[in-house]
Amino acid sequence: RRRTGNGARKVSVMSTSCAQAIKNWETTSGEVAAEATFVKLYCQIPPILKLDNALNSLVNCERLALSTNAIDRLIPLNGMKNLKILSLGRNQIKKIEKLDDVADTLEELWMSYNQIGSLDGLQGLNNLQVLYLANNNIKTWGELDKLAGLNGLRDVLFVGNPIYEGFTKEEARIEVLKHLPNVMKIDGDLVKPSERAAAKGGEEEG
């Protein structure tokens, strides 16, 4: 019985460390991770559960793919001075945080299919252009107002969040525009002039 219990515990914590994932990627790609601009650590088997400091050895990395793991939280990325695209879709992240070190370089953040309920933690990302947060847990439209200072934000994905419940696709798009009037693309489709006018008209009426 005791052996079975220990075995079950071992299975539950089976995971790949970031250092091991980086090593595996170097072996399969033939690249040196510290020199590479695009590092792919997605779909690890067993999955990455925790991010760790090994990521900060990726000093040249401009695009880091960590999607489809079981990551539960972010860590400071103070070694990644060139990071432009961070892909963390299909994980178990509940909170956007600790992105201060990449605030000046990060242009795209892909975090669809997580458990994020708040848009805190994004306000300082001054160069952010793309934000993918489909299928998360955003429940109030007021959360989008936290992105108002991100003047470069152009492409957003929010479909599949509780905020869309009770709205048609068209109504949801107009509601996004009321909060983020400068975006050019919502949920994969370009914003039409008629949608922009509708959003503006709604504001005036309100």
Side-chain angles (χ1 to χ4, degrees), residues 103-173:
D104 292 336
T105 58
L106 197 67
E107 295 174 1
E108 302 190 19
L109 182 59
W110 304 1
M111 293 186 77
S112 293
Y113 293 92
N114 277 283
Q115 298 164 24
I116 293 158
S118 164
L119 299 185
D120 289 330
L122 291 167
Q123 290 88 334
L125 304 181
N126 300 319
N127 288 307
L128 198 67
Q129 298 168 23
V130 174
L131 179 62
Y132 292 160
L133 283 169
N135 298 89
N136 273 282
N137 197 30
I138 300 162
K139 293 178 177 173
T140 64
W141 287 102
E143 288 296 324
L144 274 61
D145 294 331
K146 295 174 181 176
L147 309 177
L150 304 180
N151 296 325
L153 193 60
R154 292 290 176 266
D155 182 358
V156 294
L157 273 184
F158 293 120
V159 69
N161 279 279
I163 47 171
Y164 276 35
E165 287 171 14
F167 286 82
T168 65
K169 179 183 173 182
E170 187 59 30
E171 287 168 345
R173 289 171 62 79

Coordinates of all heavy atoms in Angstrom, one line a residue, residues 103-173:
A103 N 9.0 45.0 -20.1 CA 8.0 46.0 -20.5 C 8.4 46.8 -21.7 O 7.6 47.3 -22.5 CB 7.8 46.9 -19.3
D104 N 9.7 47.1 -21.9 CA 10.1 48.0 -23.0 C 10.2 47.3 -24.3 O 10.3 47.9 -25.3 CB 11.5 48.6 -22.6 CG 11.3 49.6 -21.5 OD1 10.2 50.1 -21.3 OD2 12.3 49.9 -20.8
T105 N 10.3 45.9 -24.3 CA 10.5 45.2 -25.5 C 9.3 44.4 -26.0 O 9.1 44.1 -27.2 CB 11.7 44.2 -25.4 OG1 11.5 43.3 -24.3 CG2 13.0 45.0 -25.2
L106 N 8.5 43.9 -25.0 CA 7.4 43.0 -25.3 C 6.3 43.6 -26.3 O 5.8 44.7 -25.9 CB 6.7 42.5 -24.1 CG 5.9 41.2 -24.2 CD1 6.8 40.0 -24.6 CD2 5.1 40.9 -23.0
E107 N 6.1 43.0 -27.4 CA 5.1 43.5 -28.4 C 3.9 42.6 -28.5 O 2.8 43.1 -28.8 CB 5.8 43.6 -29.8 CG 6.9 44.6 -29.8 CD 7.7 44.6 -31.2 OE1 7.3 43.7 -32.0 OE2 8.6 45.3 -31.3
E108 N 4.1 41.3 -28.2 CA 2.9 40.4 -28.3 C 2.9 39.5 -27.1 O 3.9 38.9 -26.7 CB 3.0 39.6 -29.6 CG 3.1 40.4 -30.8 CD 3.0 39.6 -32.1 OE1 2.5 38.4 -32.1 OE2 3.3 40.1 -33.2
L109 N 1.7 39.3 -26.5 CA 1.5 38.4 -25.4 C 0.3 37.5 -25.7 O -0.8 38.0 -25.9 CB 1.2 39.3 -24.1 CG 1.0 38.5 -22.8 CD1 2.3 37.6 -22.5 CD2 0.7 39.4 -21.6
W110 N 0.6 36.2 -25.8 CA -0.4 35.2 -26.2 C -0.7 34.4 -24.9 O 0.1 33.6 -24.5 CB 0.1 34.3 -27.3 CG 0.6 35.0 -28.5 CD1 0.6 36.4 -28.8 CD2 1.1 34.4 -29.7 NE1 1.1 36.6 -30.0 CE2 1.4 35.4 -30.6 CE3 1.4 33.1 -30.1 CZ2 2.0 35.2 -31.9 CZ3 1.9 32.8 -31.3 CH2 2.2 33.8 -32.2
M111 N -1.9 34.6 -24.3 CA -2.2 33.9 -23.1 C -3.7 33.3 -23.1 O -4.3 33.3 -22.1 CB -2.0 34.8 -21.9 CG -0.6 35.2 -21.6 SD -0.3 36.1 -20.1 CE -0.4 34.8 -18.9
S112 N -4.1 32.9 -24.3 CA -5.5 32.3 -24.4 C -5.5 31.0 -23.7 O -4.4 30.3 -23.5 CB -5.9 32.2 -25.9 OG -6.0 33.4 -26.5
Y113 N -6.7 30.6 -23.3 CA -6.8 29.3 -22.6 C -6.0 29.2 -21.3 O -5.2 28.3 -21.1 CB -6.5 28.1 -23.5 CG -7.5 28.0 -24.6 CD1 -7.3 28.6 -25.9 CD2 -8.7 27.3 -24.5 CE1 -8.2 28.5 -26.9 CE2 -9.7 27.1 -25.5 CZ -9.4 27.8 -26.7 OH -10.3 27.6 -27.7
N114 N -6.2 30.2 -20.4 CA -5.7 30.1 -19.1 C -6.8 30.4 -18.1 O -8.0 30.1 -18.4 CB -4.5 31.1 -18.9 CG -3.2 30.6 -19.4 OD1 -2.5 29.8 -18.8 ND2 -2.8 31.0 -20.6
Q115 N -6.5 30.9 -16.9 CA -7.6 31.1 -15.9 C -7.5 32.6 -15.4 O -7.7 32.9 -14.2 CB -7.4 30.1 -14.8 CG -7.5 28.7 -15.2 CD -7.0 27.7 -14.2 OE1 -6.9 28.0 -13.0 NE2 -6.6 26.5 -14.6
I116 N -7.2 33.5 -16.3 CA -6.9 34.9 -15.9 C -8.3 35.6 -15.8 O -9.1 35.6 -16.7 CB -6.0 35.6 -17.0 CG1 -4.6 34.9 -16.9 CG2 -6.0 37.1 -16.8 CD1 -3.9 35.1 -18.2
G117 N -8.4 36.3 -14.6 CA -9.7 37.0 -14.3 C -9.5 38.5 -14.3 O -10.4 39.3 -14.2
S118 N -8.2 39.0 -14.2 CA -7.9 40.4 -14.1 C -6.8 40.8 -15.1 O -5.9 40.0 -15.5 CB -7.4 40.7 -12.7 OG -6.7 41.9 -12.6
L119 N -7.0 42.1 -15.6 CA -6.0 42.6 -16.5 C -5.0 43.5 -15.8 O -4.3 44.3 -16.5 CB -6.7 43.3 -17.7 CG -7.6 42.5 -18.5 CD1 -8.2 43.2 -19.7 CD2 -6.9 41.2 -19.0
D120 N -4.9 43.4 -14.5 CA -3.7 44.0 -13.8 C -2.4 43.4 -14.3 O -2.4 42.2 -14.7 CB -3.9 43.7 -12.3 CG -5.0 44.5 -11.7 OD1 -5.3 45.6 -12.2 OD2 -5.6 44.0 -10.7
G121 N -1.4 44.1 -14.2 CA -0.1 43.6 -14.6 C 0.3 43.9 -16.1 O 1.4 43.6 -16.5
L122 N -0.6 44.5 -16.8 CA -0.3 44.8 -18.2 C 0.0 46.3 -18.4 O 0.5 46.7 -19.5 CB -1.5 44.5 -19.1 CG -1.8 43.0 -19.3 CD1 -3.1 42.7 -19.9 CD2 -0.7 42.3 -20.1
Q123 N -0.3 47.1 -17.4 CA -0.3 48.6 -17.6 C 1.0 49.2 -18.1 O 1.1 50.1 -18.8 CB -0.8 49.3 -16.4 CG -2.3 49.1 -16.1 CD -2.6 47.9 -15.3 OE1 -1.9 46.9 -15.3 NE2 -3.7 47.9 -14.5
G124 N 2.1 48.5 -17.7 CA 3.4 49.1 -18.0 C 4.0 48.6 -19.3 O 5.1 49.0 -19.7
L125 N 3.3 47.8 -20.0 CA 3.8 47.2 -21.3 C 3.6 48.2 -22.4 O 2.7 48.0 -23.3 CB 3.2 45.9 -21.6 CG 3.3 44.8 -20.5 CD1 2.6 43.5 -20.9 CD2 4.7 44.5 -20.1
N126 N 4.5 49.2 -22.5 CA 4.2 50.3 -23.4 C 4.3 50.0 -24.9 O 3.8 50.8 -25.7 CB 5.3 51.4 -23.0 CG 5.1 51.9 -21.6 OD1 4.0 52.0 -21.1 ND2 6.2 52.1 -20.9
N127 N 5.0 48.9 -25.2 CA 5.1 48.6 -26.6 C 4.2 47.5 -27.1 O 4.3 47.0 -28.2 CB 6.6 48.3 -27.0 CG 7.4 49.5 -26.9 OD1 7.1 50.5 -27.6 ND2 8.5 49.5 -26.1
L128 N 3.3 47.1 -26.2 CA 2.4 45.9 -26.5 C 1.5 46.3 -27.7 O 0.8 47.3 -27.7 CB 1.6 45.6 -25.3 CG 1.0 44.1 -25.3 CD1 2.0 43.1 -25.3 CD2 0.0 43.9 -24.2
Q129 N 1.5 45.4 -28.7 CA 0.6 45.6 -29.9 C -0.5 44.5 -30.0 O -1.5 44.8 -30.5 CB 1.5 45.6 -31.1 CG 2.5 46.7 -31.2 CD 3.5 46.5 -32.3 OE1 3.3 45.8 -33.3 NE2 4.7 47.1 -32.1
V130 N -0.1 43.3 -29.5 CA -1.0 42.2 -29.6 C -1.2 41.5 -28.3 O -0.3 41.3 -27.5 CB -0.4 41.1 -30.6 CG1 -1.2 39.9 -30.7 CG2 -0.2 41.7 -32.0
L131 N -2.5 41.3 -27.9 CA -2.9 40.7 -26.7 C -3.9 39.7 -26.9 O -5.1 40.0 -27.3 CB -3.4 41.8 -25.7 CG -3.8 41.3 -24.3 CD1 -2.7 40.6 -23.6 CD2 -4.4 42.4 -23.5
Y132 N -3.6 38.4 -26.8 CA -4.5 37.3 -27.0 C -4.9 36.7 -25.6 O -4.1 36.0 -25.0 CB -3.9 36.2 -27.9 CG -3.6 36.7 -29.3 CD1 -2.7 36.0 -30.1 CD2 -4.3 37.8 -29.8 CE1 -2.5 36.4 -31.4 CE2 -4.1 38.1 -31.2 CZ -3.2 37.5 -32.0 OH -3.0 37.9 -33.3
L133 N -6.2 36.9 -25.2 CA -6.6 36.4 -23.9 C -8.0 35.7 -24.1 O -8.9 35.8 -23.2 CB -6.8 37.6 -23.0 CG -5.5 38.1 -22.4 CD1 -5.7 39.4 -21.6 CD2 -4.9 37.1 -21.4
A134 N -8.2 35.0 -25.2 CA -9.4 34.3 -25.4 C -9.5 33.2 -24.4 O -8.5 32.7 -23.9 CB -9.4 33.7 -26.8
N135 N -10.8 32.8 -24.1 CA -11.0 31.7 -23.2 C -10.3 31.7 -21.9 O -9.6 30.8 -21.5 CB -10.7 30.3 -23.9 CG -11.6 30.2 -25.1 OD1 -11.2 30.6 -26.2 ND2 -12.7 29.5 -25.0
N136 N -10.5 32.9 -21.2 CA -10.0 33.1 -19.8 C -11.2 33.3 -18.9 O -12.3 32.8 -19.2 CB -9.0 34.2 -19.8 CG -7.6 33.7 -20.1 OD1 -6.9 33.1 -19.2 ND2 -7.1 33.9 -21.3
N137 N -11.0 34.1 -17.9 CA -12.1 34.2 -16.9 C -12.4 35.7 -16.6 O -12.7 36.1 -15.5 CB -11.7 33.5 -15.6 CG -12.9 33.2 -14.7 OD1 -14.0 33.1 -15.2 ND2 -12.6 33.2 -13.4
I138 N -12.3 36.5 -17.6 CA -12.6 38.0 -17.5 C -14.1 38.2 -17.4 O -14.8 37.9 -18.3 CB -11.9 38.8 -18.6 CG1 -10.4 38.5 -18.6 CG2 -12.2 40.3 -18.5 CD1 -9.8 38.9 -19.9
K139 N -14.5 38.7 -16.3 CA -16.0 38.8 -16.0 C -16.6 40.2 -16.1 O -17.8 40.3 -16.1 CB -16.2 38.2 -14.6 CG -16.0 36.8 -14.5 CD -16.2 36.3 -13.0 CE -16.0 34.8 -13.0 NZ -16.0 34.2 -11.6
T140 N -15.8 41.2 -16.1 CA -16.3 42.6 -16.1 C -15.6 43.4 -17.2 O -14.4 43.3 -17.4 CB -16.2 43.3 -14.8 OG1 -14.8 43.5 -14.5 CG2 -16.8 42.6 -13.6
W141 N -16.4 44.2 -17.9 CA -15.9 45.0 -19.0 C -14.9 46.1 -18.5 O -14.0 46.5 -19.2 CB -17.1 45.7 -19.8 CG -17.8 44.7 -20.6 CD1 -19.0 44.2 -20.3 CD2 -17.4 44.2 -21.9 NE1 -19.4 43.3 -21.3 CE2 -18.4 43.3 -22.3 CE3 -16.3 44.4 -22.7 CZ2 -18.4 42.6 -23.5 CZ3 -16.2 43.7 -23.9 CH2 -17.2 42.8 -24.3
G142 N -15.1 46.5 -17.2 CA -14.2 47.4 -16.6 C -12.7 47.0 -16.7 O -11.8 47.8 -16.6
E143 N -12.5 45.7 -16.7 CA -11.1 45.2 -16.8 C -10.4 45.8 -18.0 O -9.2 46.1 -18.0 CB -11.1 43.7 -16.8 CG -11.4 43.0 -15.5 CD -10.4 43.3 -14.4 OE1 -9.2 43.4 -14.7 OE2 -10.9 43.5 -13.2
L144 N -11.1 45.9 -19.1 CA -10.5 46.4 -20.4 C -10.0 47.9 -20.2 O -9.1 48.3 -20.9 CB -11.5 46.3 -21.6 CG -11.5 45.0 -22.3 CD1 -11.9 43.8 -21.4 CD2 -12.5 45.0 -23.5
D145 N -10.6 48.6 -19.3 CA -10.2 50.0 -19.1 C -8.8 50.1 -18.6 O -8.1 51.1 -18.7 CB -11.2 50.7 -18.2 CG -12.6 50.9 -18.8 OD1 -12.7 50.9 -20.0 OD2 -13.5 50.9 -18.0
K146 N -8.3 49.0 -18.0 CA -6.9 48.9 -17.5 C -5.9 49.0 -18.6 O -4.7 49.2 -18.4 CB -6.7 47.7 -16.6 CG -7.6 47.7 -15.3 CD -7.5 46.4 -14.6 CE -8.3 46.4 -13.3 NZ -8.3 45.1 -12.6
L147 N -6.4 48.7 -19.8 CA -5.5 48.7 -21.0 C -5.5 50.1 -21.7 O -4.8 50.2 -22.8 CB -5.9 47.6 -22.0 CG -6.1 46.2 -21.4 CD1 -6.6 45.3 -22.5 CD2 -4.8 45.7 -20.8
A148 N -6.2 51.0 -21.2 CA -6.4 52.3 -21.9 C -5.1 53.0 -22.2 O -5.0 53.7 -23.2 CB -7.4 53.2 -21.1
G149 N -4.1 52.8 -21.4 CA -2.9 53.6 -21.6 C -1.9 52.9 -22.6 O -0.8 53.4 -22.9
L150 N -2.3 51.7 -23.1 CA -1.4 51.0 -24.0 C -1.7 51.5 -25.4 O -2.5 50.9 -26.2 CB -1.7 49.5 -23.9 CG -1.5 48.9 -22.5 CD1 -1.7 47.4 -22.5 CD2 -0.1 49.2 -22.0
N151 N -1.1 52.6 -25.8 CA -1.5 53.3 -27.0 C -1.1 52.5 -28.3 O -1.7 52.8 -29.4 CB -0.8 54.7 -27.1 CG -1.2 55.6 -26.0 OD1 -2.4 55.5 -25.6 ND2 -0.3 56.3 -25.4
G152 N -0.2 51.6 -28.2 CA 0.1 50.8 -29.4 C -0.7 49.5 -29.6 O -0.5 48.8 -30.6
L153 N -1.6 49.2 -28.7 CA -2.4 48.0 -28.7 C -3.3 48.0 -30.0 O -4.1 48.9 -30.1 CB -3.2 47.8 -27.4 CG -3.8 46.4 -27.2 CD1 -2.8 45.3 -27.2 CD2 -4.6 46.4 -25.9
R154 N -3.1 47.0 -30.8 CA -3.9 47.0 -32.1 C -4.7 45.7 -32.3 O -5.7 45.8 -33.1 CB -2.9 47.2 -33.3 CG -2.2 48.5 -33.3 CD -3.2 49.6 -33.7 NE -2.6 50.9 -33.7 CZ -2.7 51.8 -32.7 NH1 -3.3 51.4 -31.6 NH2 -2.2 53.0 -32.8
D155 N -4.3 44.6 -31.7 CA -4.9 43.3 -32.1 C -5.2 42.6 -30.7 O -4.3 42.3 -30.0 CB -3.9 42.6 -32.9 CG -4.4 41.2 -33.4 OD1 -5.6 40.8 -33.0 OD2 -3.7 40.5 -34.1
V156 N -6.5 42.4 -30.5 CA -6.9 41.7 -29.2 C -7.9 40.5 -29.5 O -8.6 40.5 -30.4 CB -7.6 42.7 -28.2 CG1 -6.6 43.8 -27.8 CG2 -8.9 43.4 -28.9
L157 N -7.7 39.6 -28.6 CA -8.6 38.4 -28.6 C -9.2 38.3 -27.2 O -8.5 38.1 -26.2 CB -7.9 37.1 -28.9 CG -7.6 36.6 -30.3 CD1 -6.9 35.3 -30.2 CD2 -8.8 36.5 -31.1
F158 N -10.6 38.4 -27.1 CA -11.3 38.2 -25.8 C -12.4 37.2 -25.9 O -13.1 37.0 -24.9 CB -11.8 39.6 -25.3 CG -10.8 40.6 -25.0 CD1 -10.8 41.8 -25.6 CD2 -9.9 40.4 -24.0 CE1 -9.8 42.8 -25.3 CE2 -8.9 41.3 -23.7 CZ -8.9 42.5 -24.3
V159 N -12.6 36.6 -27.1 CA -13.8 35.7 -27.2 C -13.6 34.5 -26.2 O -12.5 34.1 -25.9 CB -13.8 35.2 -28.7 CG1 -12.7 34.3 -29.0 CG2 -15.1 34.5 -29.0
G160 N -14.7 34.0 -25.7 CA -14.7 32.9 -24.8 C -14.5 33.3 -23.4 O -14.4 32.4 -22.5
N161 N -14.6 34.6 -23.1 CA -14.6 35.1 -21.7 C -16.0 35.3 -21.2 O -16.9 35.6 -22.0 CB -13.7 36.4 -21.6 CG -12.3 36.1 -21.5 OD1 -11.7 35.8 -20.5 ND2 -11.6 36.2 -22.6
P162 N -16.2 35.3 -19.9 CA -17.6 35.5 -19.4 C -18.2 36.9 -19.8 O -19.4 37.0 -19.9 CB -17.4 35.4 -17.9 CG -16.2 34.5 -17.7 CD -15.3 34.8 -18.8
I163 N -17.3 37.9 -20.1 CA -17.8 39.2 -20.5 C -18.7 39.1 -21.7 O -19.6 40.0 -22.0 CB -16.7 40.3 -20.7 CG1 -15.6 39.7 -21.5 CG2 -16.3 40.9 -19.4 CD1 -14.6 40.8 -21.9
Y164 N -18.5 38.1 -22.6 CA -19.2 38.0 -23.8 C -20.6 37.4 -23.7 O -21.3 37.3 -24.6 CB -18.4 37.2 -24.9 CG -17.3 38.0 -25.6 CD1 -16.6 39.0 -25.0 CD2 -17.0 37.7 -26.9 CE1 -15.7 39.7 -25.7 CE2 -16.1 38.4 -27.7 CZ -15.4 39.4 -27.0 OH -14.4 40.1 -27.7
E165 N -20.8 36.8 -22.5 CA -22.1 36.1 -22.3 C -23.3 37.1 -22.5 O -23.3 38.2 -21.9 CB -22.1 35.4 -20.9 CG -21.2 34.2 -20.9 CD -21.1 33.6 -19.5 OE1 -21.8 34.0 -18.6 OE2 -20.1 32.8 -19.3
G166 N -24.3 36.7 -23.2 CA -25.5 37.5 -23.4 C -25.3 38.5 -24.6 O -26.2 39.3 -24.9
F167 N -24.1 38.6 -25.2 CA -23.9 39.5 -26.3 C -23.8 38.7 -27.6 O -23.3 37.6 -27.6 CB -22.5 40.2 -26.1 CG -22.5 41.3 -25.1 CD1 -22.4 41.0 -23.8 CD2 -22.7 42.6 -25.5 CE1 -22.4 42.0 -22.8 CE2 -22.7 43.6 -24.5 CZ -22.5 43.3 -23.2
T168 N -24.3 39.3 -28.7 CA -24.0 38.7 -30.0 C -22.5 39.0 -30.3 O -21.9 39.9 -29.7 CB -24.9 39.3 -31.1 OG1 -24.6 40.7 -31.2 CG2 -26.4 39.1 -30.8
K169 N -22.0 38.4 -31.3 CA -20.6 38.6 -31.7 C -20.4 40.1 -32.0 O -19.5 40.7 -31.6 CB -20.3 37.8 -33.0 CG -18.9 38.0 -33.5 CD -18.6 37.2 -34.8 CE -17.3 37.5 -35.3 NZ -17.0 36.8 -36.6
E170 N -21.4 40.7 -32.8 CA -21.3 42.1 -33.2 C -21.4 43.0 -32.0 O -20.6 44.0 -31.8 CB -22.4 42.4 -34.2 CG -22.4 43.8 -34.8 CD -21.1 44.1 -35.6 OE1 -20.5 43.1 -36.1 OE2 -20.7 45.2 -35.6
E171 N -22.3 42.7 -31.0 CA -22.4 43.6 -29.8 C -21.2 43.5 -29.0 O -20.7 44.5 -28.4 CB -23.6 43.1 -29.0 CG -25.0 43.4 -29.6 CD -26.1 42.6 -28.9 OE1 -25.8 41.6 -28.2 OE2 -27.3 43.0 -29.1
A172 N -20.6 42.3 -28.9 CA -19.3 42.2 -28.1 C -18.2 43.0 -28.7 O -17.4 43.7 -28.0 CB -18.9 40.7 -28.0
R173 N -18.1 43.0 -30.0 CA -17.0 43.8 -30.7 C -17.2 45.3 -30.4 O -16.2 46.0 -30.2 CB -17.1 43.5 -32.2 CG -16.6 42.1 -32.6 CD -16.9 41.8 -34.1 NE -16.2 42.7 -35.0 CZ -14.9 42.5 -35.3 NH1 -14.2 41.6 -34.7 NH2 -14.3 43.4 -36.1

